Amino acid sequence: MLTGKHILLGITGGIAAYKTANLASMLVKLHADVHVIMTKNAQKIISPVVFEALTGNKVVDDVFDRDSGYPVAHIAMAHEADVVMIAPASANMIAKLANGIADDMLSTTMLAVTAPVYVVPAMNTYMLEHAATQANIEKIRSYGYHVVEPASGYLACGDTGKGKMPEADVLLEYILYAAAYEKDLSGKKVLITAGPTKEPLDPVRFLTNHSTGKMGYALANNAVRRGAQVVLVTGPVRLPLPLYAQVIQVTTAQEMYEAVDAHYDEQDIVVMSAAVADYRPKYTSEEKIKKKDGAAVLELERTKDILGSMSERKGGRFLCGFSMETEHMLENSKAKLERKNLDMIVANSLRMEGAGFGTDTNIITIITKDQVRELPKMSKDEAAKEVFDQILTFLH
Ligand SMILES: Cc1cc2nc3c(=O)[nH]c(=O)nc-3n(C[C@H](O)[C@H](O)[C@H](O)COP(=O)(O)O)c2cc1C
């Protein structure tokens, strides 16, 4: 995803510096060329050897280092970066950035950077809330730096509050947004449904399915990274929320229908990947569950067909459904495409290993009115990219 991209990581003397090793590793796995500048104080917290081993590149920490590999390192490193992230950014470094101070390798390089910059403040709550730090954060925002909101929780100093550095997977998402794709969906409004629905039987029990939302969230992340304005309507799942998307969390099929219905008209592209319950209990309290020969009998009724109802008012928008079949995958999916007047169906078989619920991979077949494309096993991120690549061929 990041092949050919130069990512510059700046690391300062915050205790969260150890988490940046994880981020560097994730970036390298996505084939980025990762370069690291550390402050001298950062090296008291974590050894540069960690980053040199992970990235294969020398950590630079001195403007006058004659072995940096560059003739004028601070200018060269600034120019070759496609995106820069300072994580953690100490209060001290933020103050230097705010005031144009260039007294070490990182702060000097930053003055020459023209690529997008993400600054990730991480510090004790009182340091963060200090008027000087807040003013400095405002100031660097006004220079065009993106400031990543610190998380709240237990801090290394023992206090609890705001100031934690977000986890590496969250930080990675900002870098992917900045550098992974052309913004070929920019200006497009995309609605995606994801995850399962849960239909309550009573206050304790419910009917649901095995969907984990991974495919739908991969679709939402892909659309966001490609510049779309995304609404994600999601059933209950345990996944980090996509950046910059409007997320609507729902539980039941009826709630999902209402959320889709409310946002449908303004969309250009709608991709329904949620595994919506076909049936729900007719009654939701135990007394109303019928007893037959002493045993409880559950009466079910059909839930609203969200895809079917939306296709009735399809208009000019691109409508894509998902189908998950246990048998006759192609025939059933093609029939669904016709019956529901869809532009595209993404079919996945529940019988294939590496496809379907819960896995990080999928084996999809993209079916349109005059084409069937069977794709090999790939990550759900890659499958999401294939889906939007295919959709884009219809929009041009
Ligand atoms: C154990 C330890 C943890 C620290 N953690 C932080 C931190 O999370 N955030 C911060 O702004 N400063 C933190 N500091 C203070 C900075 O290291 C100090 O302000 C230093 O001057 C920052 O230098 P630098 O910006 O050049 O890296 C910490 C200091 C120590 C000793």
Side-chain angles (χ1 to χ4, degrees):
M1 230 187 284
L2 290 170
T3 306
K5 298 292 177 186
H6 280 74
I7 314 296
L8 176 57
L9 293 180
I11 305 173
T12 71
I15 197 75
Y18 73 94
K19 290 189 189 174
T20 313
N22 205 1
L23 175 63
S25 164
M26 288 173 167
L27 290 167
V28 169
K29 283 185 192 144
L30 294 172
H31 308 293
D33 186 11
V34 182
H35 292 263
V36 175
I37 299 177
M38 295 178 82
T39 63
K40 303 278 186 199
N41 288 324
Q43 294 170 56
K44 294 176 188 157
I45 291 181
I46 182 168
S47 165
V49 174
V50 174
F51 294 96
E52 291 181 344
L54 288 171
T55 66
N57 290 317
K58 184 174 189 286
V59 169
V60 187
D61 63 1
D62 182 358
V63 182
F64 296 99
D65 179 357
R66 283 161 39 227
D67 296 323
S68 68
Y70 303 94
V72 185
H74 62 285
I75 303 298
M77 292 183 83
H79 285 359
E80 71 182 11
D82 291 301
V83 52
V84 180
M85 178 171 273
I86 306 184
S90 63
N92 175 55
M93 182 54 66
I94 294 167
K96 290 205 241 181
L97 296 177
N99 292 289
I101 293 171
D103 67 350
D104 67 2
M105 179 63 194
L106 183 56
S107 56
T108 306
T109 304
M110 291 311 293
L111 287 177
V113 165
T114 53
V117 174
Y118 291 83
V119 176
V120 189
M123 63 199 72
N124 169 275
T125 309
Y126 293 104
M127 290 176 76
L128 178 69
E129 286 176 354
H130 193 285
T133 308
Q134 287 301 314
N136 289 332
I137 287 176
E138 273 321 300
K139 221 165 165 187
I140 64 169
R141 275 207 176 101
S142 75
Y143 303 158
Y145 291 162
H146 305 280
V147 177
V148 175
E149 200 56 25
S152 294
Y154 178 78
L155 304 170
C157 55
D159 286 348
T160 301
K162 200 170 171 184
K164 260 172 94 80
M165 188 165 96
E167 296 305 319
D169 56 349
V170 177
L171 300 183
L172 175 67
E173 215 32 67
Y174 287 94
I175 293 175
L176 292 178
Y177 177 77
Y181 290 103
E182 295 287 305
K183 296 288 178 270
D184 52 7
L185 283 172
S186 124
K188 297 284 178 232
K189 293 186 170 181
V190 179
L191 184 144
I192 292 159
T193 67
T197 57
K198 275 185 180 175
E199 308 299 330
L201 279 159
D202 59 41
V204 180
R205 290 163 290 178
F206 51 82
L207 292 178
T208 191
N209 58 62
H210 291 295
S211 170
T212 56
K214 284 184 178 174
M215 190 63 232
Y217 277 57
L219 288 161
N221 282 327
N222 189 268
V224 167
R225 290 170 195 160
R226 296 168 84 149
Q229 203 178 315
V230 175
V231 177
L232 172 67
V233 180
T234 173
V237 298
R238 293 164 186 270
L239 292 172
L241 298 181
L243 279 188
Y244 305 128
Q246 181 186 350
V247 180
I248 304 172
Q249 290 170 310
V250 299
T251 303
T252 64
Q254 180 61 26
E255 286 167 8
M256 187 167 280
Y257 169 79
E258 285 165 15
V260 173
D261 182 55
H263 291 84
Y264 186 70
D265 288 339
E266 69 253 30
Q267 306 303 321
D268 300 302
I269 301 167
V270 175
V271 182
M272 299 217 201
S273 72
V276 182
D278 287 334
Y279 292 92
R280 66 178 175 199
K282 199 163 181 180
Y283 308 109
T284 54
S285 83
E286 243 175 306
E287 306 84 67
K288 288 183 182 163
I289 295 175
K290 278 191 184 168
K291 301 273 183 197
K292 197 173 175 187
D293 303 331
V297 178
L298 221 163
E299 268 194 76
L300 298 174
E301 65 182 4
R302 280 205 84 93
T303 54
K304 207 143 189 156
D305 174 3
I306 305 177
L307 194 50
S309 340
M310 294 305 140
S311 76
E312 282 168 18
R313 38 188 259 246
K314 184 175 164 309
R317 71 186 55 74
F318 191 93
L319 188 51
C320 170
F322 265 64
S323 81
M324 183 144 298
E325 306 287 343
T326 47
E327 52 192 13
H328 307 303
M329 185 186 82
L330 262 187
E331 297 84 322
N332 290 348
S333 303
K334 278 182 180 169
K336 187 170 171 184
L337 181 88
E338 289 289 322
R339 196 172 63 246
K340 301 206 171 171
N341 184 30
L342 306 179
D343 297 295
M344 194 163 112
I345 280 257
V346 180
N348 34 173
S349 168
L350 274 178
R351 289 197 187 277
M352 287 192 223
E353 200 178 316
F357 293 132
T359 60
D360 287 326
T361 56
N362 209 352
I363 304 169
I364 59 169
T365 301
I366 298 181
I367 303 164
T368 57
K369 288 198 172 77
D370 39 35
Q371 205 188 7
V372 173
R373 266 183 72 214
E374 287 184 40
L375 296 168
K377 182 157 99 175
M378 57 182 68
S379 71
K380 284 187 170 165
D381 274 339
E382 288 164 329
K385 176 186 178 298
E386 291 289 344
V387 169
F388 280 110
D389 281 354
Q390 182 87 35
I391 292 176
L392 272 165
T393 64
F394 287 86
L395 303 185
H396 289 146

